[in-house]
Amino acid sequence: MTTTNTQTHLNRAFDLVVRNGKVATATETFEADLGVIDGKIAAIAAGLPTGKRDIDARGRWVLPGGIDSHCHVEQLSGMGLMCADDFYSATVSAAFGGNTTIMPFAAQHRGDSVREVLEDYSARAEEKAVIDYGFHVIVTNLDDQALKIDLPQAIRQGVTSIKVFMTYERMKLDDYQILDVLALADREGALVMVHAENNDVIRWLGDRLVERGLNAPKYHAVAHSGLAETEATNRVVTLSRILETPIMIVHVSEAETLDCIRQAQQKGAALYAETCPQYLFLTAADIDKPGVEGAKFCCSPPPRDERCQRAMWQGLTEGTLSLYSSDHAPYRWDETGKLPKGENTGFREMANGLPGIEVRMPLLFSEGYLKGRLTINEFVALTATNHARMYGLYPRKGSIAVGADADIVIWDEEREITITNDLLHDNVDYTPYEGMKVTGWPDTVINRGRVVIENGELKVARGSGEFLPCGLPEPVAKARASRDPEALIRKLVDTPF
């Protein structure tokens, strides 16, 4: 346990003391008080002096604030649809779910300037966010301006993760372009995130389904075959190994894809992966509803089957999957989102994505930690610490340690909740988890020493969140430390033919 000498603080009272709690980090569990000064954790010890404000957490878990590093907020989709959540509603909802940091995507569409996209996105967040935030950037237009000027500048300014798509006609990059992004990331110090699905497989299967008049939402899951995910994952892993550049495979859903990732990791590939609530708690059977009701469960990749659910749990417990994110993609159940053609909407026309930013952590706390699938330390790692390490926010974020931001969440592990849309705070008019019962819920949420959520009420103003410039992602730092930058070129040049 990290402690400090409280004598150094006697000349100034703590702004806040959270006392008597059961504290857990990704590696330790202990009982202690936490003293906060100027938004930072200044002391961790038993019996700290009274602060200007004290919160008694006796008998409750005191955990690091959650970091949701994969969520879509106030973002225009590849289909031209705007998310239902702006930075205010999304961050309020995230905070009620125990998060103190989110990392959404500034999306460059064809013809957009990366610099202008980031400037616009920053202005939107600065005006509205109630908790802290960092950015990833999605790239689709790889001209010289983007590759040589805008992306390097964005990385230097703290946007150190780049997302690429292997599917969606308006978003996807070909293999040559992905290699360009990998080379840029290697040179400038960024992590590449990949949506791995084979676009041609999905398009070919979709064409055959539509030819047969099979347009219901459930056929979305048929078109987005698990093999399309596995093939694309294997291909992009191969591309990353050519350059020995780390990558993050997002929203893994398929058991065979997980096998591919595990095998590549065992061969030494700098490969990381994430899964999401929909792949632990939903299946393709949920999409098979009457009419267009199944659209409420359509996302890409789609939920699979119970075998794949079990595989995702195994991936989390064994460490093959190091992140658990929401992939919050909020669209309303109307013509602005899921049903652009009402009851006649086909599976190719509905918005892809599910809301889930508020229930991400409670679902895993209840069904992971309390059901014995995960330890409390693994829960912390999967929801906070690993995200901070992955994207260059550690040690400021993601743990409870002296000098870290005072991002602290007090959990009531005995509170029983039935999830309903009325309970949640996003701007979506449904939840795919309607009626699910969970035990354990975040009670008090503190961000940089500010009490954000208390007694079921929001306590901070819109625009009070702060932008977080990200540093060098830990996977990139590890890769750089383990190899000679010129060794790859020598290896390729000297390969015998």
Side-chain angles (χ1 to χ4, degrees):
M1 181 184 74
T2 304
T3 62
T4 61
N5 185 346
T6 59
Q7 294 297 317
T8 61
H9 303 292
L10 291 181
N11 60 346
R12 176 176 174 184
F14 294 114
D15 299 322
L16 172 69
V17 175
V18 177
R19 60 178 70 255
N20 302 320
K22 301 183 295 180
V23 181
T25 70
T27 56
E28 297 179 287
T29 306
F30 52 89
E31 294 186 5
D33 303 341
L34 309 180
V36 177
I37 294 177
D38 292 336
K40 301 283 188 181
I41 298 175
I44 303 175
L48 289 180
T50 301
K52 296 176 184 176
R53 178 170 182 198
D54 276 25
I55 297 176
D56 189 356
R58 189 180 305 275
R60 289 178 289 174
W61 282 113
V62 176
L63 307 181
I67 301 173
D68 194 343
S69 63
H70 184 167
C71 52
H72 301 274
V73 176
E74 206 159 337
Q75 177 195 323
L76 197 66
S77 76
M79 298 174 67
L81 298 173
M82 179 59 74
C83 289
D85 277 320
D86 67 5
F87 271 96
Y88 181 71
S89 60
T91 54
V92 169
S93 186
F96 272 98
N99 298 282
T100 53
T101 299
I102 65 167
M103 296 189 70
F105 299 87
Q108 179 209 35
H109 295 280
R110 307 287 193 210
D112 287 349
S113 155
V114 169
R115 178 182 58 81
E116 291 175 358
V117 164
L118 282 167
E119 288 175 353
D120 175 69
Y121 210 54
S122 297
R124 292 170 184 262
E126 184 178 2
E127 176 190 354
K128 301 168 188 172
V130 303
I131 57 174
D132 294 347
Y133 55 92
F135 296 147
H136 315 289
V137 62
I138 293 170
V139 293
T140 62
N141 187 33
L142 292 176
D143 56 15
D144 283 351
Q145 178 72 28
L147 282 171
K148 296 180 180 178
I149 300 173
D150 290 350
L151 285 170
Q153 181 179 16
I155 292 166
R156 289 191 293 270
Q157 292 173 344
V159 182
T160 60
S161 39
I162 304 169
K163 185 178 181 183
V164 300
F165 285 83
M166 300 176 76
T167 189
Y168 301 134
E169 291 295 338
R170 299 182 186 178
M171 306 289 287
K172 70 183 180 70
L173 302 183
D174 61 32
D175 291 355
Y176 190 100
Q177 292 171 313
I178 292 172
L179 285 166
D180 272 344
V181 175
L182 289 169
L184 166 75
D186 186 56
R187 182 175 67 251
E188 300 291 340
L191 180 65
V192 177
M193 308 165 71
V194 184
H195 179 134
E197 288 184 286
N198 183 308
N199 189 71
D200 287 332
V201 169
I202 294 167
R203 184 163 63 94
W204 192 91
L205 290 172
D207 286 346
R208 297 324 178 261
L209 292 165
V210 171
E211 286 170 3
R212 291 162 173 77
L214 304 176
N215 288 303
K218 67 180 179 180
Y219 295 109
H220 170 84
V222 178
H224 286 257
S225 164
L227 288 173
E229 180 184 348
T230 301
E231 187 283 328
T233 299
N234 184 67
R235 179 158 40 98
V236 78
V237 168
T238 301
L239 297 179
S240 74
R241 291 181 66 192
I242 289 171
L243 294 181
E244 298 182 2
T245 303
I247 59 171
M248 160 62 67
I249 306 294
V250 297
H251 49 48
V252 175
S253 70
E254 167 62 44
E256 192 169 336
T257 303
L258 188 69
D259 291 340
C260 168
I261 292 167
R262 184 186 297 110
Q263 290 165 12
Q265 289 173 342
Q266 290 170 349
K267 293 175 182 176
L271 176 60
Y272 302 84
E274 147 202 286
T275 196
C276 309
Q278 49 267 40
Y279 310 121
L280 298 177
F281 305 108
L282 302 175
T283 69
D286 291 301
I287 311 177
D288 189 8
K289 304 287 186 187
V292 291
E293 190 74 12
K296 292 180 178 179
F297 304 90
C298 284
C299 58
S300 299
R304 305 294 183 186
D305 55 23
E306 292 181 357
R307 176 184 64 90
C308 290
Q309 277 187 337
R310 292 191 296 270
M312 295 309 109
W313 279 110
Q314 181 182 347
L316 291 175
T317 57
E318 72 188 13
T320 304
L321 300 170
S322 52
L323 298 185
Y324 167 77
S325 307
S326 72
D327 192 10
H328 180 71
Y331 299 100
R332 292 181 65 82
W333 183 245
D334 60 24
E335 70 281 355
T336 70
K338 286 291 187 178
L339 304 176
K341 294 185 178 180
E343 293 293 320
N344 295 317
T345 302
F347 71 86
R348 280 181 158 174
E349 299 159 324
M350 62 190 63
N352 278 327
L354 305 180
I357 201 166
E358 192 166 341
V359 297
R360 174 186 76 113
M361 292 179 72
L363 282 168
L364 195 69
F365 188 90
S366 176
E367 303 307 301
Y369 164 59
L370 289 181
K371 291 289 179 66
R373 292 183 172 108
L374 302 169
T375 67
I376 193 66
N377 311 101
E378 289 169 333
F379 172 82
V380 169
L382 289 166
T383 58
T385 311
N386 290 356
H387 299 256
R389 290 185 178 277
M390 192 69 62
Y391 296 113
L393 292 175
Y394 191 85
R396 178 180 177 182
K397 299 291 186 181
S399 191
I400 292 177
V402 172
D405 281 1
D407 291 353
I408 301 163
V409 180
I410 302 171
W411 282 76
D412 181 350
E413 66 180 298
E414 297 181 352
R415 185 178 177 189
E416 296 181 350
I417 293 286
T418 298
I419 296 173
T420 65
N421 186 63
D422 291 342
L423 171 76
L424 305 178
H425 298 81
D426 57 33
N427 195 36
V428 185
D429 51 359
Y430 81 97
T431 171
Y433 307 101
E434 185 79 29
M436 289 191 183
K437 294 179 171 57
V438 296
T439 303
W441 202 265
D443 179 71
T444 303
V445 179
I446 300 163
N447 171 218
R448 282 181 287 107
R450 309 172 303 138
V451 176
V452 177
I453 305 294
E454 187 176 38
N455 298 323
E457 296 181 359
L458 180 70
K459 299 292 186 179
V460 296
R462 63 191 292 134
S464 60
E466 290 188 356
F467 171 67
L468 301 168
C470 296
L472 188 68
E474 190 170 283
V476 178
K478 287 181 177 179
R480 287 184 168 186
S482 66
R483 65 179 170 88
D484 175 357
E486 296 299 320
L488 174 62
I489 298 300
R490 290 198 301 270
K491 181 175 73 172
L492 294 175
V493 170
D494 295 340
T495 299
F497 296 95

